[in-house]
Amino acid sequence: MASAAVRAQVAAKWQESFNRLNRNEPGISGLLAFSEAWTLAIEFLKPRDLNDSAPQKQYDLNKVRAAFGVVGECRRLPVMMEVFLEDMRKSQHLITQEVEAYMTLYESNSDPEAIRSLVYRLVDWYNAWKPTADLGPTMISAYTLAFQTHVFSVLPPSFARGIKALVSATLQRTVSQSQDPQDRVLWQAFDTLSLIDRYETLIASIGYEYIESYVEETCAGKWSEPMLATLRAWMIDKIVPWMLYPFARGATNADEAKTMMQGVGSRFDFHMHKTLCNLRTKEIFDIIVDFPESMGALQDLKECLARVDQRADLVQALRHANNKRLLHPGADTKDILSHYVSTIKCLRIVDPPGVLLFKVADPTRRYLRDRPDTIRCIVASLVGDGESGDSLVDENDPIQPLQQPEMENYSDPEWNPEPIDAGPDFRASKSSDVISTIVSIYDTKDLFVKELQVLLAQRLLAVKDGNFDRERRNVEILKIRFGEAALQVCEVMLRDMTDSRRIDQHVQSQTASSMHPTIISRHFWPALESSNMVMPGQFQILQEKYAQEFSVFKPDKVLRWLPHLGRVHLELELEDRTLEADVPPLEAAFIELFSEKDVWTVDELVLRSGSVNRNAAVKALATWVDMHVLKEDSEGVFRLLSVTEGPTPGSRPQALKPAEAGELPPVMSVQQQQAEQMKIYWKFIEGMLTNLGSLPLDRIQSMLKFAPGYDRTVEQLGSFMEAARREGLVNAKDGMWRLGK
């Protein structure tokens, strides 16, 4: 029963298939017509050899279309497609032979025209074997996939190099506006073979490389003007027309092309920004050196960083350049400070919140903090010391008080969160004052105030015409920055200079004197270098007379002379000549002693002048030897030349006059004052280590705070202890300090 049902079902299917092939015609006439149509269709579709010179059979296209129609009505198109694809696979060796021949030619001469010819030949093969459109898109898609799969499988790696050369040539011609009509044909051939899709990354890289070379050529070292606008115009005028070929193929109007190129255009624009950003990052150190002439490059860099976000690379590049070219012993401190100020200004333009500056500046700030003359250079710039180099402050910048760190005010309507790349220690600064940023290198401004006092003392003592307007103006400006309380001592110093002139005028009115001393308040001035020098003869008489008149005018005060400081104008009357000289006091003291006798030894002069330094004495005598007032008859023995003598054979060469006229008065620096004061605290330290044994630095620091007037930091104490260790006074092991043996 079941087998009968199966036989009946098979018979029904067979009859249905027969009727479909026979198309319900009488007998087998329909089946014969299908057989003829099948044979014609298969013969027409069979791939042919393009290299076969035999005449090709001509087909009546109407009959071919009719045959395709018959096969389609019989639902045999899928089978016909399989037969066609199988025939094509059997003929693929013809394409392989062509590819090998052309690639052998290209690899032998590297001429990209061989690749062009190969592409055109592959298009010929593709078009020759391509089924007609009457068979529908499915048949054509299957053929295209099979054809391309085979072609891509037999193309060697060197084919990509040839494609790159061909595409590069089209870009060069487009940029130079000398387009070859064959370029459009070439791009159409690429599209036909789907080479654009397969090598899209390679084609884009050609554009990227050309952009990189153009940016390097046109923008390197050119910082005065922004270059981004020029680069964008160049991209639109030169690169975009070339991009239409591979990336907007098939577009029928400008809007459609713009839509198709939106994604790839954004990538090309990004790469242009990235290339310029890389270039400016590589040049950032020199851009900062050239500021403000490099403002254009900084504006470009700011815009590029907003687009490509290479902030970390910029920080790393600038820190590396600073360490290599700036932060080393060969660089002058004022040059480092000047570059640091330019860095502050430049990075505030590039990154207003200050994150980049915070990350870049830390090594520079630590290096400057360790340099002993940093404070002095900063202070010299603040008071306009022309000898200390260019000012760190722009004269057009407003003078502002030193800014102190502020707590975050979250209720401020203009408050913004910190940038995403800000570290945990970063605190946004609202201050644009460069001096506040520089002073913040140190934990306290007291060091600057003390150095200001030293430098002001030197400048005041160096004034000869009695005009202190410049110093007074500087003090007023510094009051704004540091506050009036911090500059009270400077006010006293200025007042002392004015009072000194008034006192001198009064003394001169009572008893005319050729001496015009500067009288200062010892407790308010920085320590001056001391000396045991004693002025002899008429100089001592002048001092005593002046002191008497002063005590009458100021009975509650006593003068303590510093005779080694100042200048003396002398008129020397010798037997055959009269000389005028402006010399330091030691030279004046020595020539005064020669009025007592004509010949002196160096040791005698040193003893009579108060045991001054022997080297200083020799230099002082060399001044008079150079002026032909003294002569060194033998080593250490000098004679007064009342009458000029010419050089004698065998005489000793004359020493050069030391250049001391432009030197600042010998006011002790802050470091020297601190060293002297720390010697006082050494007794406390010695007592601690004697009574308590080995102690860590922190414990010594905490105990020293009980000593009167001790205000040193633990870093300063550590430096002093290191100096004491070098002298053998103490030893250190594992952070513990003990007295040396």
Side-chain angles (χ1 to χ4, degrees):
M1 192 69 182
S3 61
V6 171
R7 283 197 298 272
Q9 186 176 5
V10 170
K13 290 291 184 180
W14 175 264
Q15 189 63 40
E16 179 184 358
S17 299
F18 176 79
N19 292 335
R20 185 167 64 250
L21 294 175
N22 201 41
R23 293 177 295 163
N24 296 320
E25 294 186 6
I28 61 171
S29 58
L31 187 61
L32 293 175
F34 169 78
S35 177
E36 293 177 359
W38 176 270
T39 302
L40 178 60
I42 291 299
E43 288 182 355
F44 179 79
L45 289 175
K46 187 172 183 178
R48 60 189 179 89
D49 185 359
L50 295 182
N51 297 316
D52 188 357
S53 59
Q56 299 294 326
K57 181 179 180 180
Q58 300 297 320
Y59 292 91
D60 185 346
L61 295 181
N62 291 327
K63 291 183 178 180
V64 172
R65 292 191 186 95
F68 287 153
V70 171
V71 175
E73 289 178 8
C74 297
R75 300 179 184 178
R76 305 306 292 169
L77 283 178
V79 178
M80 184 181 67
M81 182 175 68
E82 291 180 2
V83 173
F84 165 68
L85 293 178
E86 180 62 29
D87 290 342
M88 189 183 74
R89 280 191 287 271
K90 293 178 181 179
S91 302
Q92 284 176 346
H93 66 280
L94 301 175
I95 296 176
T96 302
Q97 293 172 0
E98 293 262 11
V99 170
E100 291 175 350
Y102 279 102
M103 290 309 302
T104 300
L105 177 62
Y106 171 71
E107 290 171 356
S108 65
N109 58 18
S110 297
D111 185 0
E113 289 302 316
I115 301 298
R116 183 194 294 267
S117 300
L118 173 58
V119 171
Y120 289 161
R121 187 62 173 171
L122 290 174
V123 171
D124 292 341
W125 283 101
Y126 175 83
N127 291 330
W129 290 4
K130 182 179 178 181
T132 64
D134 300 324
L135 295 178
T138 302
M139 183 78 167
I140 295 176
S141 297
Y143 160 73
T144 300
L145 177 62
F147 184 88
Q148 292 175 355
T149 300
H150 174 69
V151 169
F152 294 156
S153 68
V154 298
L155 288 175
S158 58
F159 180 76
R161 188 172 70 251
I163 287 289
K164 184 174 183 178
L166 273 179
V167 174
S168 297
T170 65
L171 176 57
Q172 292 283 356
R173 287 190 289 270
T174 302
V175 170
S176 61
Q177 297 182 345
S178 59
Q179 292 95 330
D180 186 344
Q182 287 298 316
D183 287 348
R184 185 177 295 276
V185 177
L186 179 64
W187 284 108
Q188 290 173 349
F190 285 164
D191 188 27
T192 299
L193 299 175
S194 293
L195 292 176
I196 295 177
D197 294 334
R198 180 172 180 82
Y199 294 104
E200 180 178 3
T201 302
L202 175 65
I203 294 171
S205 71
I206 295 170
Y208 294 159
E209 291 174 4
Y210 194 85
I211 290 172
E212 291 170 5
S213 63
Y214 182 82
V215 170
E216 287 279 351
E217 179 182 350
T218 59
C219 300
K222 299 177 181 178
W223 308 323
S224 58
E225 298 293 334
M227 301 297 294
L228 273 176
T230 304
L231 290 176
R232 291 193 184 102
W234 173 79
M235 290 273 291
I236 293 173
D237 186 44
K238 303 296 184 181
I239 302 299
V240 171
W242 172 79
M243 294 171 62
L244 293 173
Y245 289 122
F247 303 116
R249 57 190 185 278
T252 57
N253 54 61
D255 292 337
E256 189 174 346
K258 184 177 180 180
T259 302
M260 295 175 68
M261 288 181 56
Q262 186 173 4
V264 68
S266 178
R267 293 197 297 273
F268 270 67
D269 183 70
F270 177 88
H271 192 78
M272 183 263 290
H273 281 80
K274 185 179 188 315
T275 303
L276 183 60
C277 186
N278 289 338
L279 176 63
R280 294 298 183 237
T281 298
K282 183 171 63 176
E283 300 173 328
I284 186 61
F285 186 91
D286 296 308
I287 289 174
I288 291 174
V289 171
D290 201 46
F291 182 83
E293 283 73 17
S294 58
M295 180 66 74
L298 295 171
Q299 294 172 354
D300 283 343
L301 184 58
K302 178 181 180 180
E303 190 170 344
C304 289
L305 286 176
R307 181 73 192 276
V308 302
D309 192 21
Q310 295 186 172
R311 296 160 63 89
D313 296 338
L314 177 65
V315 170
Q316 184 177 3
L318 186 51
R319 289 181 66 151
H320 176 73
N322 285 343
N323 289 331
K324 182 178 180 181
R325 301 175 59 180
L326 191 69
L327 306 182
H328 56 78
D332 194 74
T333 301
K334 65 175 179 289
D335 294 334
I336 300 176
L337 280 169
S338 178
H339 190 274
Y340 178 46
V341 169
S342 296
T343 301
I344 294 171
K345 295 177 179 178
C346 291
L347 293 187
R348 281 179 177 167
I349 294 172
V350 175
D351 176 45
V355 176
L356 296 183
L357 177 61
F358 177 78
K359 293 183 176 181
V360 167
D362 184 58
T364 305
R365 291 168 64 88
R366 282 190 279 107
Y367 188 81
L368 285 171
R369 193 183 302 126
D370 293 338
R371 279 215 167 187
D373 59 338
T374 299
I375 296 178
R376 188 167 187 82
C377 288
I378 297 172
V379 171
S381 176
L382 290 177
V383 299
D385 189 350
E387 295 181 357
S388 297
D390 297 335
S391 175
L392 301 178
V393 187
D394 191 338
E395 293 181 357
N396 298 322
D397 290 344
I399 302 171
Q400 303 175 7
L402 295 181
Q403 302 294 318
Q404 300 297 329
E406 299 178 359
M407 297 297 293
E408 292 278 5
N409 183 10
Y410 300 107
S411 61
D412 185 354
E414 298 183 359
W415 177 86
N416 289 315
E418 294 176 352
I420 193 170
D421 58 340
D425 298 330
F426 172 75
R427 291 295 179 268
S429 173
K430 298 181 180 179
S431 170
S432 60
D433 182 38
V434 172
I435 292 299
S436 296
T437 305
I438 296 176
V439 172
S440 67
I441 293 175
Y442 298 90
D443 297 331
T444 175
K445 65 181 181 181
D446 294 343
L447 297 174
F448 289 91
V449 173
K450 291 180 180 179
E451 191 63 51
L452 277 170
Q453 295 169 4
V454 171
L455 192 57
L456 180 62
Q458 291 178 336
R459 293 173 65 89
L460 289 175
L461 294 176
V463 172
K464 295 182 175 62
D465 58 1
N467 185 357
F468 305 107
D469 292 343
R470 180 183 179 187
E471 282 67 31
R472 187 170 285 106
R473 176 181 176 274
N474 286 333
V475 170
E476 293 300 323
I477 292 174
L478 294 171
K479 280 184 183 179
I480 299 175
R481 294 194 181 278
F482 292 93
E484 292 198 14
L487 273 296
Q488 284 181 351
V489 171
C490 294
E491 284 283 358
V492 173
M493 293 163 65
L494 277 170
R495 189 166 61 249
D496 279 352
M497 300 305 292
T498 305
D499 291 346
S500 178
R501 289 182 60 83
R502 182 172 53 84
I503 293 170
D504 184 60
Q505 290 172 358
H506 173 79
V507 172
Q508 298 293 340
S509 67
Q510 299 300 315
T511 303
S513 175
S514 58
M515 179 176 290
H516 300 277
T518 299
I519 303 171
I520 62 176
S521 304
R522 180 169 62 90
H523 295 292
F524 293 93
W525 281 67
L528 301 178
E529 291 184 7
S530 60
S531 172
N532 297 323
M533 178 180 169
V534 176
M535 296 298 289
Q538 59 180 321
F539 297 114
Q540 187 173 18
I541 296 172
L542 288 173
Q543 288 179 354
E544 292 173 353
K545 289 182 178 180
Y546 199 98
Q548 290 174 1
E549 289 297 333
F550 176 82
S551 62
V552 173
F553 184 58
K554 295 282 186 180
D556 57 332
K557 292 182 171 58
V558 177
L559 286 181
R560 184 171 69 88
W561 295 93
L562 298 175
H564 61 292
L565 304 181
R567 303 289 292 182
V568 180
H569 183 77
L570 296 175
E571 183 175 327
L572 303 181
E573 295 183 357
L574 302 172
E575 292 183 10
D576 62 342
R577 64 197 184 283
T578 300
L579 300 176
E580 289 190 4
D582 190 34
V583 295
L586 185 58
E587 279 87 331
F590 283 172
I591 205 63
E592 172 67 18
L593 290 173
F594 274 92
S595 65
E596 299 179 6
K597 63 177 183 177
D598 291 346
V599 179
W600 290 81
T601 65
V602 175
D603 294 335
E604 290 173 342
L605 291 170
V606 168
L607 185 62
R608 281 293 302 274
S609 58
S611 300
V612 297
N613 182 274
R614 182 181 176 84
N615 291 333
V618 172
K619 289 183 179 179
L621 291 167
T623 301
W624 297 117
V625 171
D626 189 52
M627 296 174 67
H628 303 287
V629 175
L630 299 179
K631 181 179 181 181
E632 188 175 8
D633 290 331
S634 59
E635 186 173 359
V637 178
F638 291 84
R639 175 170 55 89
L640 178 67
L641 296 178
S642 298
V643 178
T644 305
E645 293 183 6
T648 58
S651 61
R652 295 170 60 85
Q654 296 175 350
L656 295 177
K657 179 180 178 180
E660 298 179 357
E663 295 183 357
L664 290 174
V667 181
M668 294 179 65
S669 67
V670 172
Q671 290 81 5
Q672 290 174 321
Q673 296 178 42
Q674 290 176 347
E676 290 296 324
Q677 293 173 1
M678 283 304 296
K679 291 179 181 178
I680 300 174
Y681 299 117
W682 165 248
K683 293 299 181 182
F684 292 91
I685 298 172
E686 188 177 26
M688 292 180 211
L689 299 179
T690 300
N691 297 324
L692 302 177
S694 300
L695 294 174
L697 197 63
D698 292 341
R699 178 75 183 282
I700 298 174
Q701 172 76 357
S702 61
M703 296 180 69
L704 278 176
K705 289 182 179 179
F706 294 103
Y710 182 79
D711 58 354
R712 301 294 180 270
T713 64
V714 68
E715 290 80 9
Q716 292 172 330
L717 174 61
S719 299
F720 174 77
M721 296 297 287
E722 282 294 332
R725 183 182 63 80
R726 288 193 294 270
E727 294 181 8
L729 299 177
V730 293
N731 294 323
K733 184 178 181 181
D734 300 329
M736 302 294 289
W737 294 86
R738 59 186 178 84
L739 288 176
K741 297 181 180 179

